[in-house]
Amino acid sequence: MSAAPGVVVVGNGMAGSRFVGELRDRDPSVPITVFGAEPQRPYNRVLLSNVLAGAADPEHIALVDAAWYAAHGVDARLGVEVTRIDRAARTVHASDGTATPYGTLVLATGSTAFVPPLPGLAEGLPRGALAFRTLDDCRRISELAATARRAVVIGGGLLGIEAARGLAGRGLDVTVLHLAGHLMERQLDPAAGRVLARTLAGLGVGSRVGVGVTGVRTSGTGGDRRVTGVELDAGGAAETIDADLVVVACGVRPETGLARAAGLAVGRGVIVDDELRSVADPSVRAIGECSEHRDEVYGLVAPAWEQAGILAGLLAGTEPGARFTGARQITRLKAAGIELASMGETHFGDEDDGVEVVRFTDVSRGTYKKAVIRDGRLIGAILLGETAAAGTLTQLYDRAAPLPAERLSLLFPGAGRDGGGARADSPLRMPDAATVCQCNGVTKRRVREAWEDGARTADDVARETRAGTGCGGCRDAVEGILGWLADQETPDRREPAAAAPR
């Protein structure tokens, strides 16, 4: 069954590009037009910090081959911004003067960086001050970093930590300024925030928490203004930190300007139902960071890609009963020298009634592990510095599965086992239905099938299944499964298949 003629997609980022690919996989003939405001082909925004650090080339984070669009009959308008939606005529008007009709319009406009209206920023960003959101931002920051000496990152959330680590990787003196009492307060508890701060310090990144930025100091006038420092309030005392590069990482806001101007229902994002339809117009759908579903706006890649797959199945008619009912948010950070996985309700402590907290801290090694349990189910977890248990905890959290009686094994897989028992998170003991790649929903069974089809490396598996193309945090697990499968082919090293639960 074919989708309605003329699917037009506004936004060619991680959500929009994934949707286009998923729809074309299911329906080879439906006309698809995709508009991307950025001139380059879509890229993995999660890996921008690696580009900023110089550890990855921009070409290495591309999501779609340049020749893919023409080969698959997709009209890609890269570098063309949609300026207006005419819902009555069912057309979108673009910056190149075109008016394109649609049968179904898919909004995947993502988010934009929030720049607080502080003195020095409210009248426009001066030279040396930049947001960190796009590949173009990354390139401009890299250019400035080549001659800068001291950088300040405003904001100690996930994006700010990624930016700071990238700049430190280029040899700059970097300080993170954060208003909350500890870093990444949305994902971490105070103890984990302190461990992260110490880890960052060892990597050349200083941090100041509980401080409010009151302005950005500049020299020059008009278009010649240049950053010279950041003014802050530290417990009632005014202070200035010298800087010739300032990165603003104060969060993002869903990009809803087009939708709002078109009269669609907008809260924080474009409000959609379980079929990802605008509640104001069923011919319009919205996915990714610009959409709001059941009062939730998802800022992570895994829910966006899940929405893309569901919507593609609905429009192509291959999965007419598919519905998006919500997603659990699991945050992964994997930058040079830092590994982090965080999920669920992480802020409970020993003093809170009705929960059980299992915790381990080794500040000197930058390790912090925590599991929060309620009614025998995992409701939250933090793994910082050593994330081998992430796969096991993700499965337990995602499925609300019963927990082992030996709680220590949650944080240290295999703990409490005698002799040569397999680790709880080893490929041997991992169920075939276990999700290996959370971003793409790839199971151990799918990795095994890719192996059986000839995939022998993690890159081979990525091409076959997309595992590892999101945050990259599952690459070690994929390589472990491949190693185990290779061992099985050697008779004297084969482990008993009966031990592997299904």
Side-chain angles (χ1 to χ4, degrees), residues 394-423:
T394 297
Q395 291 302 308
L396 293 171
Y397 169 68
D398 199 40
R399 301 182 179 189
L403 303 183
E406 176 51 71
R407 302 300 203 215
L408 189 62
S409 67
L410 292 171
L411 304 183
F412 299 93
R417 298 183 179 275
D418 295 326
R423 286 166 53 93

Short mmCIF file of all heavy atoms in Angstrom, two decimals, residues 394-423:
data_model
loop_
_atom_site.label_atom_id
_atom_site.label_comp_id
_atom_site.label_asym_id
_atom_site.label_seq_id
_atom_site.Cartn_x
_atom_site.Cartn_y
_atom_site.Cartn_z
N THR A 394 19.90 -1.09 31.32
CA THR A 394 18.95 -0.55 30.34
C THR A 394 17.81 -1.52 30.10
O THR A 394 16.63 -1.14 30.04
CB THR A 394 19.67 -0.24 29.01
OG1 THR A 394 20.65 0.78 29.24
CG2 THR A 394 18.68 0.23 27.96
N GLN A 395 18.14 -2.80 29.97
CA GLN A 395 17.10 -3.80 29.76
C GLN A 395 16.16 -3.89 30.95
O GLN A 395 14.93 -3.93 30.81
CB GLN A 395 17.74 -5.18 29.51
CG GLN A 395 18.47 -5.28 28.19
CD GLN A 395 17.56 -4.99 27.01
OE1 GLN A 395 16.49 -5.57 26.89
NE2 GLN A 395 17.98 -4.07 26.15
N LEU A 396 16.72 -3.90 32.15
CA LEU A 396 15.89 -4.00 33.35
C LEU A 396 15.00 -2.77 33.50
O LEU A 396 13.83 -2.88 33.89
CB LEU A 396 16.79 -4.16 34.58
CG LEU A 396 17.57 -5.48 34.66
CD1 LEU A 396 18.59 -5.42 35.79
CD2 LEU A 396 16.62 -6.66 34.87
N TYR A 397 15.54 -1.61 33.19
CA TYR A 397 14.78 -0.37 33.30
C TYR A 397 13.71 -0.29 32.22
O TYR A 397 12.54 0.02 32.49
CB TYR A 397 15.74 0.82 33.20
CG TYR A 397 15.06 2.16 33.04
CD1 TYR A 397 14.32 2.71 34.08
CD2 TYR A 397 15.18 2.88 31.86
CE1 TYR A 397 13.70 3.94 33.93
CE2 TYR A 397 14.58 4.11 31.71
CZ TYR A 397 13.84 4.63 32.75
OH TYR A 397 13.21 5.85 32.59
N ASP A 398 14.09 -0.59 30.99
CA ASP A 398 13.18 -0.44 29.86
C ASP A 398 12.00 -1.39 29.97
O ASP A 398 10.87 -1.05 29.58
CB ASP A 398 13.95 -0.69 28.56
CG ASP A 398 13.22 -0.12 27.36
OD1 ASP A 398 12.66 0.98 27.47
OD2 ASP A 398 13.20 -0.78 26.31
N ARG A 399 12.23 -2.58 30.49
CA ARG A 399 11.17 -3.59 30.55
C ARG A 399 10.53 -3.72 31.93
O ARG A 399 9.63 -4.54 32.12
CB ARG A 399 11.74 -4.94 30.13
CG ARG A 399 12.31 -4.94 28.73
CD ARG A 399 12.80 -6.29 28.32
NE ARG A 399 13.33 -6.27 26.96
CZ ARG A 399 13.67 -7.35 26.27
NH1 ARG A 399 13.54 -8.54 26.83
NH2 ARG A 399 14.15 -7.24 25.06
N ALA A 400 11.01 -2.93 32.89
CA ALA A 400 10.53 -3.05 34.27
C ALA A 400 10.57 -4.51 34.73
O ALA A 400 9.63 -5.03 35.33
CB ALA A 400 9.11 -2.48 34.41
N ALA A 401 11.69 -5.17 34.42
CA ALA A 401 11.84 -6.60 34.70
C ALA A 401 12.21 -6.84 36.15
O ALA A 401 12.78 -5.97 36.82
CB ALA A 401 12.91 -7.19 33.78
N PRO A 402 11.91 -8.03 36.69
CA PRO A 402 12.31 -8.37 38.06
C PRO A 402 13.83 -8.32 38.20
O PRO A 402 14.57 -8.63 37.26
CB PRO A 402 11.78 -9.80 38.25
CG PRO A 402 10.71 -9.95 37.22
CD PRO A 402 11.14 -9.12 36.06
N LEU A 403 14.30 -7.95 39.39
CA LEU A 403 15.72 -7.79 39.63
C LEU A 403 16.32 -9.00 40.33
O LEU A 403 15.61 -9.70 41.07
CB LEU A 403 15.98 -6.53 40.47
CG LEU A 403 15.44 -5.22 39.90
CD1 LEU A 403 15.83 -4.06 40.81
CD2 LEU A 403 15.96 -4.99 38.50
N PRO A 404 17.61 -9.23 40.17
CA PRO A 404 18.26 -10.33 40.89
C PRO A 404 18.30 -10.04 42.39
O PRO A 404 18.37 -8.88 42.81
CB PRO A 404 19.66 -10.37 40.28
CG PRO A 404 19.88 -8.98 39.76
CD PRO A 404 18.54 -8.51 39.28
N ALA A 405 18.26 -11.10 43.17
CA ALA A 405 18.32 -10.94 44.62
C ALA A 405 19.65 -10.34 45.04
O ALA A 405 19.72 -9.58 46.02
CB ALA A 405 18.09 -12.29 45.30
N GLU A 406 20.73 -10.69 44.34
CA GLU A 406 22.04 -10.14 44.62
C GLU A 406 22.15 -8.77 43.96
O GLU A 406 22.49 -8.65 42.78
CB GLU A 406 23.13 -11.09 44.10
CG GLU A 406 24.55 -10.59 44.25
CD GLU A 406 24.86 -10.15 45.67
OE1 GLU A 406 24.96 -11.02 46.55
OE2 GLU A 406 24.96 -8.91 45.89
N ARG A 407 21.85 -7.72 44.72
CA ARG A 407 21.78 -6.37 44.15
C ARG A 407 23.14 -5.90 43.62
O ARG A 407 23.20 -5.12 42.68
CB ARG A 407 21.29 -5.37 45.20
CG ARG A 407 19.92 -5.69 45.79
CD ARG A 407 18.84 -5.73 44.74
NE ARG A 407 17.52 -5.49 45.29
CZ ARG A 407 16.41 -6.06 44.88
NH1 ARG A 407 16.48 -6.94 43.88
NH2 ARG A 407 15.25 -5.77 45.41
N LEU A 408 24.23 -6.36 44.21
CA LEU A 408 25.54 -5.92 43.79
C LEU A 408 25.79 -6.24 42.31
O LEU A 408 26.51 -5.52 41.63
CB LEU A 408 26.63 -6.57 44.65
CG LEU A 408 28.06 -6.04 44.46
CD1 LEU A 408 28.13 -4.57 44.82
CD2 LEU A 408 29.03 -6.85 45.31
N SER A 409 25.15 -7.32 41.82
CA SER A 409 25.37 -7.72 40.44
C SER A 409 24.78 -6.72 39.45
O SER A 409 25.12 -6.74 38.27
CB SER A 409 24.77 -9.11 40.18
OG SER A 409 23.35 -9.07 40.28
N LEU A 410 23.90 -5.83 39.93
CA LEU A 410 23.37 -4.78 39.06
C LEU A 410 24.49 -3.83 38.63
O LEU A 410 24.54 -3.39 37.48
CB LEU A 410 22.28 -3.98 39.77
CG LEU A 410 20.97 -4.70 40.07
CD1 LEU A 410 20.10 -3.85 40.96
CD2 LEU A 410 20.25 -5.04 38.77
N LEU A 411 25.37 -3.51 39.57
CA LEU A 411 26.45 -2.57 39.29
C LEU A 411 27.72 -3.27 38.82
O LEU A 411 28.52 -2.69 38.08
CB LEU A 411 26.76 -1.75 40.54
CG LEU A 411 25.58 -0.98 41.15
CD1 LEU A 411 26.05 -0.15 42.33
CD2 LEU A 411 24.90 -0.10 40.11
N PHE A 412 27.90 -4.51 39.25
CA PHE A 412 29.08 -5.29 38.89
C PHE A 412 28.61 -6.64 38.35
O PHE A 412 28.51 -7.61 39.10
CB PHE A 412 30.00 -5.48 40.09
CG PHE A 412 30.52 -4.20 40.66
CD1 PHE A 412 29.86 -3.56 41.71
CD2 PHE A 412 31.67 -3.62 40.13
CE1 PHE A 412 30.35 -2.37 42.23
CE2 PHE A 412 32.15 -2.43 40.65
CZ PHE A 412 31.49 -1.80 41.70
N PRO A 413 28.29 -6.71 37.07
CA PRO A 413 27.79 -7.96 36.50
C PRO A 413 28.74 -9.12 36.78
O PRO A 413 29.94 -9.02 36.59
CB PRO A 413 27.73 -7.66 35.00
CG PRO A 413 27.55 -6.18 34.93
CD PRO A 413 28.34 -5.64 36.07
N GLY A 414 28.16 -10.21 37.28
CA GLY A 414 28.96 -11.38 37.62
C GLY A 414 29.36 -11.43 39.07
O GLY A 414 29.87 -12.45 39.55
N ALA A 415 29.14 -10.33 39.83
CA ALA A 415 29.51 -10.32 41.24
C ALA A 415 28.70 -11.36 42.00
O ALA A 415 27.50 -11.52 41.79
CB ALA A 415 29.27 -8.94 41.85
N GLY A 416 29.34 -12.07 42.89
CA GLY A 416 28.64 -13.05 43.70
C GLY A 416 28.56 -14.40 43.05
O GLY A 416 28.07 -15.36 43.64
N ARG A 417 29.05 -14.53 41.80
CA ARG A 417 29.02 -15.82 41.13
C ARG A 417 30.29 -16.60 41.46
O ARG A 417 31.35 -16.03 41.63
CB ARG A 417 28.90 -15.63 39.61
CG ARG A 417 27.62 -14.92 39.22
CD ARG A 417 27.52 -14.82 37.72
NE ARG A 417 26.28 -14.16 37.35
CZ ARG A 417 25.12 -14.78 37.23
NH1 ARG A 417 25.05 -16.07 37.44
NH2 ARG A 417 24.03 -14.13 36.90
N ASP A 418 30.19 -17.88 41.52
CA ASP A 418 31.34 -18.71 41.83
C ASP A 418 32.00 -19.20 40.57
O ASP A 418 31.36 -19.46 39.56
CB ASP A 418 30.91 -19.94 42.67
CG ASP A 418 30.36 -19.52 44.03
OD1 ASP A 418 30.86 -18.52 44.57
OD2 ASP A 418 29.43 -20.20 44.52
N GLY A 419 33.33 -19.37 40.67
CA GLY A 419 34.05 -20.04 39.60
C GLY A 419 33.94 -19.32 38.29
O GLY A 419 34.03 -18.12 38.19
N GLY A 420 33.73 -20.10 37.24
CA GLY A 420 33.81 -19.56 35.88
C GLY A 420 32.49 -19.19 35.29
O GLY A 420 32.32 -19.27 34.08
N GLY A 421 31.50 -18.84 36.10
CA GLY A 421 30.21 -18.45 35.54
C GLY A 421 30.35 -17.25 34.62
O GLY A 421 31.16 -16.38 34.83
N ALA A 422 29.54 -17.22 33.61
CA ALA A 422 29.61 -16.11 32.65
C ALA A 422 29.12 -14.83 33.30
O ALA A 422 28.25 -14.83 34.15
CB ALA A 422 28.76 -16.43 31.43
N ARG A 423 29.70 -13.72 32.91
CA ARG A 423 29.23 -12.42 33.40
C ARG A 423 27.78 -12.20 33.00
O ARG A 423 27.34 -12.62 31.93
CB ARG A 423 30.08 -11.30 32.78
CG ARG A 423 31.46 -11.20 33.37
CD ARG A 423 32.34 -10.32 32.49
NE ARG A 423 31.71 -9.03 32.23
CZ ARG A 423 31.92 -7.94 32.95
NH1 ARG A 423 32.70 -7.97 33.99
NH2 ARG A 423 31.33 -6.80 32.64
#
